Every structure is written in C-alpha cells, then in structure tokens.
Amino acid sequence: MSTPESASASTPASTSASSPASDTAPDRRTLIADTAIALVAAGGLRGLTHRAVDGAAGLPAGSTSYYFRTRTALIAACYRRLAELNLADGPLRMPADRDEAAQGLGALLHHWLTEGRTRQLARFELSLEAARNPELEPDLREAGLVVRARAAAVLEALGARRPQECAELLAAWTDGLLYDRLAGALAHVRPSPDPAELTATVRRMLDAVLDAPDPGSFP
C-alpha cells in the first residue's frame, strides 16, 4: 500500500531505474483507472486497494501506488476517467432539435442501463465516497462540471435561456432515472430498458427545462 500523501499527488516528483517507464505513464494511468472502476463495479469499494488493482491489471507490484500514492488519489483518478468515458459515449455533434436531442440522450441512457451498467454502478458507489471523504469533493465536482458543461452547450443550442441551470436539472433527473433503474427498489422487477420509452421520457424532461419560465419552475 502507499504512504499517505495529498490527494492531488498522483505522480512522484522523480523516477528511478526501478520505476515504471515514464513514456508509458499516460496509458498506464488509464489502465489503472479502468481497472479500479471495474473492481468497484464487481465488488464495491472494500475491494479497491492498490494491490488488488496491480493484480487485476497484470501490473508489477507497486505500480498503482507509484502513479497514485493514496487511495484518495486513486479514486480521484476514477472520477476523471468516468467523466471522460461518459463524454465519449455521447453524440459527436450538436442535435438539430429537441427530437434529435431526445433520441440521442435516450440512446445514451439505454446504453448506460445495458452494456454500460457496471460503469454507472461504479460511478454511483465512487461518488458516495466523496460524501465521506471531504478531500475527494473537489475532484468529484470538477469531473461533474465537465459533463454538465457539455449538457449546457446542448441546451443552449436548443434555445435554453439559462443553460447552466437547465443542465443542473437535467443532470439531476438523468442521474435519478439511472439510479432508480439500476439500484432502486424496483430495479430487479422492471422490464428490460426500452429505447422508445427512454426517448419519450427524455423528451418530457427536455420540454420541462426548456419551456419553464425559469429552471426552478415547471409548466
């Protein structure tokens, strides 16, 4: 395991002959973050240790603690990687209208509820850790702002008067829907996710945030 250090200290100040090669660091960090996310999805946060990540990733002992000295730094890396992956899942261009936006977000939600469900479960579990560890809150907030900025840009293109506040509402609603379908009380008895139903639900959410007199009001 690692020696306690600042959460932001994800890399050492210097390298040595026995340290992982510096020219592979970006790919190695990505591998470590992806492996950590997969471990959390499979077994929860209790199974997230530097040694477990090394073993699951097939890395030499000590590799994870070299790049992420503390468990806090490792979880912060997971936040950044989750935001990156979630953005990469989204559409590549701005939607032309609300229908296209609803179809795009509906398809994205369907993906996160099916092929991408384990990543979303890990995201919720990792996010809860920030409520217990104040050192993680800035990293979680930064990752969340990146995703919300993309949502705000889409909503502004659709005519939102206050896109940032609208994005906050949309993010809250979509996270609520994901949590309910993945881990809510009825998650295991619901029918399989239906793309048409999700698209219709997203369209209602979009209409609510775009047509309200202000983001805190509902028609």
Side-chain angles (χ1 to χ4, degrees), residues 24-203:
T24 64
D27 287 341
R28 186 68 59 87
R29 292 190 187 97
T30 298
L31 172 62
I32 289 169
D34 286 344
T35 303
I37 292 165
L39 283 173
V40 173
L45 278 164
R46 286 186 297 180
L48 182 62
T49 66
H50 289 74
R51 182 178 297 177
V53 175
D54 286 342
L59 296 173
S63 295
T64 298
S65 61
Y66 174 83
Y67 290 107
F68 305 104
R69 296 288 183 86
T70 66
R71 192 169 186 267
T72 296
L74 179 59
I75 293 174
C78 291
Y79 293 157
R80 293 189 292 272
R81 180 60 174 159
L82 284 164
E84 178 184 338
L85 290 169
N86 283 347
L87 285 175
D89 285 340
L92 297 177
R93 64 183 183 86
M94 288 292 177
D97 53 32
R98 295 186 191 187
D99 286 338
E100 187 176 327
Q103 289 173 358
L105 183 51
L108 185 58
L109 289 173
H110 184 266
H111 171 70
W112 287 342
L113 290 169
T114 54
E115 295 94 336
R117 70 183 304 275
T118 55
R119 191 207 308 162
Q120 297 306 311
L121 286 170
R123 181 170 69 88
F124 285 124
E125 187 145 11
L126 286 160
S127 296
L128 286 172
E129 187 66 11
R132 306 182 186 100
N133 182 352
E135 290 183 64
L136 283 167
E137 194 276 332
D139 296 290
L140 178 62
R141 182 175 65 248
E142 182 178 352
L145 287 174
V146 170
V147 177
R148 283 161 174 76
R150 172 73 66 84
V154 171
L155 291 167
E156 185 173 26
L158 294 175
R161 290 182 288 275
R162 297 165 71 179
Q164 189 59 52
E165 293 182 34
C166 288
E168 292 289 338
L169 276 178
L170 190 61
W173 287 341
T174 53
D175 266 357
L177 185 149
L178 284 169
Y179 185 87
D180 180 66
R181 303 293 176 91
L182 291 171
L186 303 180
H188 296 294
V189 298
R190 288 185 180 277
S192 299
D194 177 65
E197 182 267 333
L198 290 168
T199 296
T201 299
V202 170
R203 179 57 195 261

